Amino acid sequence: MPTNRLYYNDSFVYEFDAHVAESLQIDGRQVIVLDRTAFYPTSGGQVHDTGQILVDSREIAVTEVADDAQGRVLHYVAEPIAVNSVVHGQIDRERRIDHIQQHTGQHVLSAAFIELFNMPTVSFHMGAETCTIDLDTAALSSSQAQKAERLANEIIAQDRPVAIRFVPLEEARQLGLRKLPPKQTGDLRLIDIQDFDLTACGGTHVRATGQIGCVLVRKTEKVKQGIRVEFVCGLRAVKLARKDYTTLTEAAGLFSAHIHELPQQIRKSIDDAKTAAKAQHRILEELAEFQADRMLAEASSAPRIISAVLPERDASFIKLLAQKLTAGKSDVIALLGSLSGQPTLVFAQSPGQKSNMGQLLKEALVQLGGRGGGSAELAQGGLPQSTEASQIDSLLRVTAQRIKESSRE
Ligand SMILES: [Zn+2]
């Protein structure tokens, strides 16, 4: 037997008495079917109610509510309840009114998109934080989205009555509904927002549009079936606006600016950071050149092998230094190590010499458990974070010795 749905005639029934018609297990979960219920099952994009079932002196949580193919409403409950028990149902009011606001707000917003731009809604999703509708349209400008939001809020402020009507399918076809369900037998349940929207729907709705509170359109994005519009209604809109404001205020505090000046301040910060990075790069180039000249002046006879560990420098600096040491020379080999950031080795040589930097680096890395590689001319590798300057130093000495020996052969 299909369940008698009390919310069909009144969305504001929060408490009711009923009999347990069936008590069953579905996928190992306890389920009861009542002869009548005010609990709304997940359907039509609207999420189910939660609440309690009171029986004898027990208070049993209803964690999920679903529809089945026979028109029964399945209440997933925390404990079994015997068939024929007399029970009292209580709906979680805050959750229900939130769903009513989001769901009826969707009717108004969808109708506004039709009225203004003839963009039909093809699907609706209610999430825990925000809701979305998908519009059948190739594009939607932000000005169009704002116009639809404006019209929806005007309809809400006009507090238009929202009526529930039951009419036969044939009669409904003549009424020019915004949406007709694909398959339907018997009477259709119509939701009539006075002189604005008429559609078939099984959900829960406000009595007059003022109860929606407001509609706030948020982001829009392109999806497979058109444009997805994210929105929130009523107290959710206030909650999200409050969160946005808190975030903006915190960000503005960091800049000692008004929240409306934030984009300008952030752009300025990004520009300043770019300028500073460029200046720093120039200074490092000069420093590397200066250091390279000094190292070359102190170097021994050909091949000039320059080996050094620079604890205060990072990988990008020693790479720069290696290039300054070897470029434009014919006989320099640079074996460098850095410790700032990840400990790193860079081996480089002037072009045309017989050593192979990639090969030497690989052999050196094996000694300290690092990874990397490169060409015969330039190679780079990272070492474990725990590597110490003395370990790198002795490794570079051994490598330099090998190069000297092989150059004498
Ligand atoms: Zn509805």
Side-chain angles (χ1 to χ4, degrees):
M1 274 269 290
T3 311
N4 176 12
R5 298 168 192 236
L6 302 172
Y7 63 84
Y8 265 178
N9 293 305
D10 187 352
S11 299
F12 293 85
V13 176
Y14 294 118
E15 305 219 6
F16 63 97
D17 294 312
H19 284 87
V20 177
E22 292 174 73
S23 185
L24 38 144
Q25 283 225 334
I26 297 176
D27 298 331
R29 294 169 70 193
Q30 207 59 47
V31 170
I32 57 162
V33 177
L34 302 172
D35 59 345
R36 58 207 295 272
T37 190
F39 278 94
Y40 184 79
T42 296
S43 51
Q46 186 178 337
V47 188
H48 65 84
D49 286 320
T50 57
Q52 298 90 40
I53 299 278
L54 309 185
V55 52
D56 304 325
S57 55
R58 291 188 294 161
E59 188 180 308
I60 297 163
V62 176
T63 54
E64 192 187 333
V65 189
D67 252 339
D68 79 356
Q70 292 113 64
R72 298 182 302 180
V73 176
L74 309 173
H75 305 74
Y76 289 82
V77 284
E79 294 172 29
I81 306 174
V83 173
N84 291 327
S85 298
V86 177
V87 299
H88 184 72
Q90 288 176 335
I91 314 283
D92 178 338
R93 288 171 188 243
E94 228 173 271
R95 182 176 161 99
R96 164 64 74 83
I97 189 70
D98 170 59
H99 290 176
I100 288 178
Q101 286 183 324
Q102 310 312 314
H103 179 75
T104 322
Q106 180 258 311
H107 280 242
V108 176
L109 187 62
S110 289
F113 275 113
I114 287 273
E115 168 105 6
L116 293 173
F117 311 113
N118 200 26
M119 293 176 184
T121 294
V122 287
S123 73
F124 166 55
H125 173 75
M126 186 189 287
E129 283 223 324
T130 59
C131 309
T132 59
I133 48 173
D134 288 352
L135 298 175
D136 182 8
T137 175
L140 177 74
S141 69
S142 74
S143 136
Q144 284 177 314
Q146 283 173 40
K147 278 179 183 148
E149 179 192 70
R150 167 89 200 183
L151 175 59
N153 280 307
E154 281 168 7
I155 298 295
I156 289 168
Q158 288 157 9
D159 202 23
R160 298 190 185 208
V162 178
I164 306 166
R165 287 155 55 188
F166 292 88
V167 299
L169 182 61
E170 280 318 308
E171 191 185 326
R173 284 191 208 282
Q174 319 296 320
L175 294 171
L177 301 187
R178 177 162 60 78
K179 198 179 77 188
L180 259 180
K183 276 185 203 160
Q184 186 82 28
T185 50
D187 284 358
L188 276 188
R189 181 173 184 257
L190 302 187
I191 304 303
D192 188 351
I193 301 175
Q194 194 180 69
D195 300 329
F196 187 64
D197 186 46
L198 184 62
T199 189
C201 183
T204 57
H205 306 87
V206 296
R207 294 188 182 113
T209 55
Q211 286 181 304
I212 298 167
C214 63
V215 177
L216 177 68
V217 169
R218 292 171 66 87
K219 71 174 178 192
T220 63
E221 62 178 328
K222 194 148 181 48
V223 291
K224 211 166 153 193
Q225 56 185 343
I227 299 288
R228 181 159 296 167
V229 178
E230 186 186 293
F231 68 96
V232 277
C233 299
L235 287 176
R236 270 197 203 198
V238 177
K239 199 173 149 192
L240 259 182
R242 167 64 48 210
K243 197 173 166 184
D244 292 349
Y245 184 75
T246 305
T247 307
L248 283 170
T249 304
E250 192 183 330
L254 296 174
F255 290 100
S256 304
H258 189 275
I259 59 167
H260 295 158
E261 290 165 4
L262 262 181
Q264 190 190 333
Q265 288 288 343
I266 291 169
R267 264 194 294 274
K268 188 175 171 299
S269 275
I270 292 170
D271 288 348
D272 288 351
K274 277 184 189 160
T275 308
K278 271 185 198 160
Q280 194 194 14
H281 186 74
R282 263 201 310 277
I283 289 169
L284 286 175
E285 281 248 5
E286 281 173 29
L287 183 64
E289 202 150 332
F290 176 76
Q291 197 157 359
D293 287 347
R294 213 180 53 189
M295 285 171 147
L296 286 168
E298 291 168 1
S300 56
S301 56
R304 290 185 284 173
I305 302 172
I306 293 164
S307 152
V309 183
L310 290 82
E312 308 294 319
R313 298 292 166 202
D314 64 4
S316 64
F317 182 80
I318 59 165
K319 202 171 168 186
L320 194 62
L321 180 59
Q323 281 160 358
K324 300 284 181 200
L325 283 166
T326 55
K329 326 281 185 317
S330 61
D331 62 341
V332 179
I333 293 174
L335 307 174
L336 304 174
S338 64
L339 282 173
S340 175
Q342 191 191 3
T344 300
L345 293 180
V346 172
F347 290 1
Q349 67 177 357
S350 306
Q353 302 190 87
K354 63 178 182 178
S355 298
N356 185 327
M357 295 298 116
Q359 189 59 38
L360 285 167
L361 181 93
K362 275 214 168 103
E363 286 162 20
L365 288 173
V366 168
Q367 304 294 316
L368 293 178
R371 292 179 62 172
S375 66
E377 243 78 86
L378 176 69
Q380 179 179 342
L383 296 168
Q385 208 61 49
S386 59
T387 312
E388 287 173 15
S390 59
Q391 291 175 288
I392 300 179
D393 194 53
S394 56
L395 188 67
L396 296 185
R397 278 173 204 280
V398 171
T399 308
Q401 194 57 38
R402 285 184 55 197
I403 295 170
K404 271 181 207 160
E405 280 162 13
S406 68
S407 72
R408 282 200 287 269
E409 280 162 13

